[in-house]
Amino acid sequence: MSDPVAVSTEGNVGIIELARPEKLNCLSLQVHECISAARVRFEADRNIRSILIRARGKHFCTGADLTEVKGKLNDPAALDHFIAFGMNNLRALETSSLPVVVAVQGLCLAGGIELMLACDVCFAAETAQFGDQHAQFGLIPGWGGSQRLTRLMGQRRALDLMFSARWLEAGEAKEAGLVNYIVPDADLHKAALEYCQKIATRSRHGIAEMKRLAREGADLGIDQQMRLERDAAVRALPGDDVAEGLDAFENRRKPAFKG
C-alpha cells in the first residue's frame, strides 16, 4: 500500500501532498499522523522556510474518512483519539513557526475545509468549491471548523454555511475571506509553490514572529496587542536578520538571511 501522504522538498519549501485521490484524499488517522510527522520534520530543518500543503487528483479533500469513523462509533476512547489527534494536528499547523500555504482544487469539504482553515494562506483553482457538509449528514465539525469559520467569515455567514451545507464557488470564498488568491486550474500548484519560494527568501525568524503576533494577538484587547508587538519588536531589532536587512537596504541589494 502506498503512503497516503507524499512528503518532499523543493528548495527551501517543504511539501505535504495528500496522495490518495481514489479516496478523494479523505483524512484518516494515518493521514493526520503523516501530516504531523512532516510538519515536525520541516520545523526542525533550518533550511525549510515555508510549508506547502496540496493534493493529488481532481479534488483537494472531501472530509474525514467516514469508513474509519464508523468503525470507531462503538469505541468512545478510539473515537476521542481520532477527533483529538486531528484537532491537535490542525492546531499545530496553525501555530507552527513556519508559514503554511494551501493549494485547493476541486472540492474542499467538511474535514477538508477544516484543514484549509488551519493554514495561513490559501490558493484556490478557479473551479474549486468550498463547503461544510456536516449538517447534511447529521454530523458536526470536530477539527475546529465551527470556530475558525466564525473567526474568518463572521458568525452569520459561518452559521449559514454550516446550516445550509451549501458550496461556495472560489470567488465567493475569496469574498468571504477564506481564500487569498484564485488562479487558473492548470497554474494552481505552480503559483502556490512560487509564493512559498518567495516567502522562503524572508527572515525565518521575522516571518515566525509576525505569524505568532497575528495568532496570539487575535484574542487580546488592543492595549495587550500593542504591548505584544512592542515587546517582539524590541527583541527583534538588535538581531542579525534585521542587521542584514538594513545593510541590504542601504546597499541596494537583496538580503541573504541566515536565521
Side-chain angles (χ1 to χ4, degrees):
M1 180 182 296
S2 59
D3 291 336
V5 175
V7 179
S8 61
T9 60
E10 185 76 33
N12 298 112
V13 180
I15 300 173
I16 300 172
E17 187 172 52
L18 305 183
R20 53 177 191 167
E22 74 284 356
K23 295 284 190 179
L24 303 179
N25 292 313
C26 60
L27 302 172
S28 64
L29 181 60
Q30 185 185 11
V31 170
H32 275 298
E33 290 171 343
C34 290
I35 292 172
S36 178
R39 174 191 53 79
V40 171
R41 167 187 157 187
F42 291 145
E43 288 173 345
D45 186 343
R46 300 303 297 176
N47 292 317
I48 298 299
R49 302 298 182 94
S50 62
I51 294 174
L52 172 61
I53 296 180
R54 65 190 189 193
R56 294 178 183 173
K58 183 178 179 180
H59 301 296
F60 175 71
C61 176
T62 59
D65 187 328
L66 294 183
T67 300
E68 184 168 345
V69 172
K70 287 175 65 177
K72 300 179 186 297
L73 293 181
N74 295 319
D75 187 340
L79 185 61
D80 180 69
H81 178 67
F82 179 77
I83 296 297
F85 194 96
M87 183 173 285
N88 292 336
N89 180 41
L90 299 192
R91 181 61 176 157
L93 284 174
E94 189 173 50
T95 59
S96 173
S97 59
L98 293 170
V100 182
V101 177
V102 61
V104 174
Q105 78 276 15
L107 297 179
C108 179
L109 306 176
I113 204 172
E114 291 181 294
L115 171 58
M116 181 277 289
L117 290 168
C119 300
D120 301 311
V121 175
C122 179
F123 278 74
E126 289 177 333
T127 59
Q129 294 179 293
F130 301 81
D132 184 83
Q133 293 292 95
H134 291 99
Q136 185 171 346
F137 302 104
L139 304 169
I140 64 170
W143 292 330
S146 65
Q147 306 306 306
R148 293 188 180 99
L149 275 175
T150 301
R151 285 175 178 240
L152 286 176
M153 300 179 71
Q155 188 177 86
R156 283 185 180 271
R157 288 198 288 188
L159 286 173
D160 169 54
L161 194 66
M162 289 188 283
F163 292 167
S164 67
R166 68 189 181 92
W167 297 354
L168 304 180
E169 302 292 337
E172 190 177 358
K174 186 173 187 289
E175 187 275 331
L178 302 181
V179 168
N180 298 90
Y181 301 96
I182 300 174
V183 298
D185 290 35
D187 298 335
L188 176 65
H189 288 176
K190 178 176 181 289
L193 181 59
E194 287 177 349
Y195 182 89
C196 288
Q197 290 170 332
K198 184 175 183 179
I199 295 176
T201 67
R202 313 301 192 204
S203 162
R204 195 181 200 264
H205 175 73
I207 292 289
E209 278 293 272
M210 285 189 283
K211 178 172 176 176
R212 183 184 69 84
L213 290 171
R215 296 293 191 187
E216 290 186 12
D219 295 321
L220 302 177
I222 185 64
D223 290 333
Q224 293 171 297
Q225 290 173 331
M226 295 302 102
R227 185 55 191 249
L228 186 70
E229 183 173 303
R230 171 185 162 189
D231 291 346
V234 168
R235 289 194 304 270
L237 285 171
D240 293 339
D241 279 355
V242 172
E244 168 62 15
L246 293 177
D247 186 74
F249 174 78
E250 290 174 355
N251 291 285
R252 299 183 179 181
R253 62 175 177 81
K254 290 184 178 181
F257 298 112
K258 298 179 180 178

